[in-house]
Amino acid sequence: MATTAGRGILALGVIGMLLVSGAILAVVVEPFARQPIAVGPTTQWSARLIWALGVVWVGIGMVAARTRLVRRPGAAAARATWIASSRPWRARESSLGLLLADRWLMILVPGGILVATRVLQTPRDSLWSVTLAIAGWLMFAVAVRLLLGRRSPWPVIAAVGGAIVLRCVVALVPVSLSGPEGVWNDLWSVPALRILYSALAFALVAWVFVVAGWSLAAQIGSRRAVGVALAGVGLASALPAATVGMVGARTALRSWNEQIGILPWELARLTGARDGTFPVEIVATTAVVSVIVAVVGILLALPSRGLARSPR
């Protein structure tokens, strides 16, 4: 009990740090803020539908363990993703005994919500960048899987999948409120709410990578788990850097938000990145840091010689 309580307190501390970091980043981009662009009714209602699906998935995961709902198809998968993403130290136990159908749902539901969210978030003149955004997430997944070796991937799949759904639920709120007669323009004009939303959006993206590493600690140890998470996020973030080198900084900046997939709704447009007023130096610095993080992560993730194998 004490161990569980201690881990819960640690998790709250990590979440608090992520929120503070997100708030600092939100304040940094505040001077570049722009008014969001209204979306059409089709996009708005599609976003509401996907948002409702994400909320239902999270809700089922929260209540499944305490009700007969856990016996329903898919409920076990939702429960596993909720537990693993909110308490990543339990990711391994949450993924035990799942049927093949539930395991597929742990991949398909979060993955489908992520793809749909990226499409709805992206301006129609930059749909090509959706592919790049999804490629970044796939690169993260491939890096984690390769570095994990023969260990079971289901704990990290459950943790990351649940965290992605939480992130998409928050990211879809502005899209759902930006249609005809939407209220998002008015809300975005309030500095305090703008900073609060941006801080939460940044924190939730960071939480995806935190739970990825934390969920692996029981299988491969804390050092390697941190290394796997760092390598994954570094490689995923390095993908936009390659794009910048190929298509040029100004063109790449116009779709920077969609390429890395970590910023709130239309922040590339809101911050002036799409019209070229956002500092290019930030992009270059991000690229360099991403490569360094990836290298450090790979080095940490490599198993030490002479150590006994960790339990799978």
Side-chain angles (χ1 to χ4, degrees):
M1 181 66 68
T3 301
T4 301
R7 288 171 174 171
I9 293 173
L10 177 60
L12 290 175
V14 172
I15 292 173
M17 291 177 58
L18 295 179
L19 287 172
V20 171
S21 301
I24 294 174
L25 289 172
V27 171
V28 170
V29 302
E30 174 68 17
F32 306 100
R34 301 287 191 276
Q35 281 297 107
I37 304 301
V39 301
T42 301
T43 300
Q44 182 186 33
W45 282 103
S46 298
R48 290 175 177 176
L49 179 62
I50 301 301
W51 178 86
L53 175 61
V55 170
V56 169
W57 181 259
V58 173
I60 291 175
M62 295 175 68
V63 304
R66 298 180 178 87
T67 65
R68 295 180 179 178
L69 187 62
V70 73
R71 301 176 183 176
R72 301 291 183 181
R79 175 181 177 271
T81 57
W82 165 250
I83 292 176
S85 61
S86 60
R87 286 152 286 176
W89 57 90
R90 294 183 57 189
R92 190 179 180 192
E93 66 176 84
S94 72
S95 61
L96 293 176
L98 292 177
L99 300 177
L100 180 61
D102 287 311
R103 290 184 172 182
W104 274 107
L105 286 173
M106 285 199 309
I107 297 175
L108 295 178
V109 173
I113 292 176
L114 173 63
V115 173
T117 300
R118 297 308 306 151
V119 171
L120 292 170
Q121 282 184 308
T122 306
R124 295 302 170 260
D125 60 344
S126 298
L127 281 179
W128 67 271
S129 61
V130 173
T131 303
L132 193 54
I134 302 304
W137 285 104
L138 289 176
M139 184 171 290
F140 170 78
V142 170
V144 171
R145 186 65 189 94
L146 290 177
L147 291 172
L148 192 56
R150 297 181 178 179
R151 271 69 174 186
S152 171
W154 296 110
V156 69
I157 288 174
V160 171
I164 284 177
V165 172
L166 291 174
R167 181 258 173 186
C168 289
V169 165
V170 172
L172 286 170
V173 170
V175 194
S176 302
L177 300 178
S178 296
E181 300 181 358
V183 299
W184 188 250
N185 282 351
D186 295 332
L187 293 175
W188 191 258
S189 64
V190 180
L193 291 177
R194 186 163 63 233
I195 292 175
L196 178 63
Y197 172 79
S198 299
L200 181 59
F202 281 123
L204 282 175
V205 174
W207 183 246
V208 173
F209 302 109
V210 170
V211 299
W214 204 335
S215 65
L216 293 173
Q219 292 177 284
I220 59 178
S222 299
R223 175 185 63 84
R224 292 191 64 198
V226 171
V228 170
L230 289 177
V233 68
L235 290 174
S237 300
L239 184 59
T243 305
V244 171
M246 289 186 294
V247 304
R250 184 178 179 85
T251 302
L253 270 174
R254 292 177 181 174
S255 297
W256 184 251
N257 174 43
E258 292 78 29
Q259 290 166 4
I260 56 178
I262 68 171
L263 303 181
W265 163 248
E266 285 281 27
L267 193 57
R269 190 191 300 271
L270 303 179
T271 59
R274 286 178 59 79
D275 57 24
T277 61
F278 196 73
V280 179
E281 290 77 8
I282 294 181
V283 179
T285 302
T286 301
V288 173
V289 171
S290 297
V291 173
I292 294 175
V293 168
V295 172
V296 172
I298 292 173
L299 293 176
L300 289 174
L302 294 176
S304 300
R305 294 182 179 179
L307 292 180
R309 290 185 177 181
S310 301
R312 296 182 182 180

